[in-house]
Amino acid sequence: DIVMTQSPDSLAVSLGERATINCKSSQSVLYSSNNKNFLAWYQQKPGQPPKLLIYWASTRESGVPDRFSGSGSGTDFTLTISSLQAEDVAVYYCQQYYSTQYTFGQGTKLEIK
Amino acid sequence: EVQLVESGGGLVKPGGSLRLPCAASGFTFSTYSMNWVRQAPGKGLEWISYISTSNSKTYYADSVKGRFTISRDNARNSLYLQMNSLRDEDTAVYYCAREGDSGSYEVYWGQGTLVTVSS
């Protein structure tokens, strides 16, 4: 299985400041034939199902605010929120869909400082 | 509007069985692969199973392989998860999720159904 490890486990950021969440995979999720990284980011608020934010490591899902961005390739990825808003308080997960056993990171809890 | 509605959750004893249906609407069900993802109380997300559009390919997490079976009925726009030999650690909210147009990321999720395994 591909193991996904996120850092940090929790993060407190001031409103309007940048938040950065990291995700590392135990093996590359870059598919050489199409040069795409099979990596997605989700946001989950309490009592709600997850919401897709980013796929192919850096493609923003329709309707997701442009303050959310994804970057990285191979085994190291980053989700950045450029200017934290109150409604961004949530748990964030990365997921690889490269192998036939998709796996999630353990989650990063984002709070307001 | 895409809708996914899970049902069938409840309290079951260890060793018991349960079948979870997921009713899909608002899209052409037969053209999308589907997944089940679960979340134990207070814990993170765990992908548990995938099924291709025509039932030809199914994949499972090691934690459920041999005990759970994913299936679909494209004529009824329904996805299923048959869970056998249930254990305490299978207690979780179970979500069905639809894949994206271009890849296996989960775009649409149901609200989930809670399965509690306890004696």
Side-chain angles (χ1 to χ4, degrees):
Chain A
D1 292 6
I2 299 177
V3 177
M4 308 300 290
T5 304
Q6 292 180 227
S7 62
D9 290 334
S10 63
L11 181 63
V13 174
S14 300
L15 290 173
E17 296 299 305
R18 178 184 299 258
T20 301
I21 298 170
N22 301 301
C23 175
K24 189 174 184 67
S25 57
S26 60
Q27 65 186 74
S28 176
V29 298
L30 173 63
Y31 194 42
S32 56
S33 67
N34 61 8
N35 202 38
K36 287 189 172 184
N37 288 282
F38 284 52
L39 189 285
W41 288 97
Y42 300 86
Q43 175 194 66
Q44 187 179 32
K45 297 181 179 180
Q48 296 183 18
K51 173 187 175 183
L52 177 68
L53 297 175
I54 303 283
Y55 57 97
W56 300 130
S58 60
T59 302
R60 197 179 304 114
E61 170 66 351
S62 175
V64 173
D66 61 6
R67 64 180 181 272
F68 291 91
S69 63
S71 62
S73 186
T75 61
D76 291 280
F77 300 91
T78 300
L79 175 70
T80 301
I81 307 172
S82 60
S83 177
L84 189 70
Q85 305 300 302
E87 60 265 32
D88 300 335
V89 169
V91 180
Y92 293 83
Y93 296 91
C94 61
Q95 181 206 25
Q96 65 79 19
Y97 47 98
Y98 179 90
S99 73
T100 55
Q101 291 192 327
Y102 309 158
T103 45
F104 289 91
Q106 79 277 17
T108 295
K109 186 174 184 179
L110 178 58
E111 299 173 313
I112 304 295
K113 185 188 290 183
Chain B
E1 179 194 4
V2 172
Q3 282 201 317
L4 297 169
V5 180
E6 306 91 340
S7 60
L11 177 62
V12 60
K13 288 182 168 50
S17 297
L18 212 53
R19 187 190 195 215
L20 304 183
C22 169
S25 61
F27 65 101
T28 305
F29 180 71
S30 61
T31 62
Y32 288 92
S33 297
M34 299 291 294
N35 290 268
W36 285 98
V37 176
R38 70 183 180 184
Q39 186 168 36
K43 302 297 185 183
L45 301 171
E46 180 187 15
W47 171 85
I48 55 172
S49 190
Y50 158 98
I51 188 165
S52 63
T53 54
S54 58
N55 281 298
S56 59
K57 292 180 186 176
T58 58
Y59 306 130
Y60 298 92
D62 290 343
S63 58
V64 305
K65 198 175 296 182
R67 300 187 299 123
F68 290 12
T69 302
I70 191 172
S71 63
R72 64 191 295 161
D73 184 339
N74 287 338
R76 295 179 182 271
N77 292 335
S78 292
L79 175 72
Y80 303 98
L81 186 67
Q82 177 67 44
M83 304 186 295
N84 298 331
S85 303
L86 283 161
R87 305 167 179 167
D88 291 350
E89 56 265 34
D90 295 319
T91 294
V93 173
Y94 285 74
Y95 296 102
C96 65
R98 197 208 85 176
E99 297 199 337
D101 289 329
S102 65
S104 303
Y105 45 88
E106 270 47 81
V107 179
Y108 294 100
W109 298 68
Q111 287 299 310
T113 187
L114 176 61
V115 173
T116 303
V117 184
S118 175
S119 54

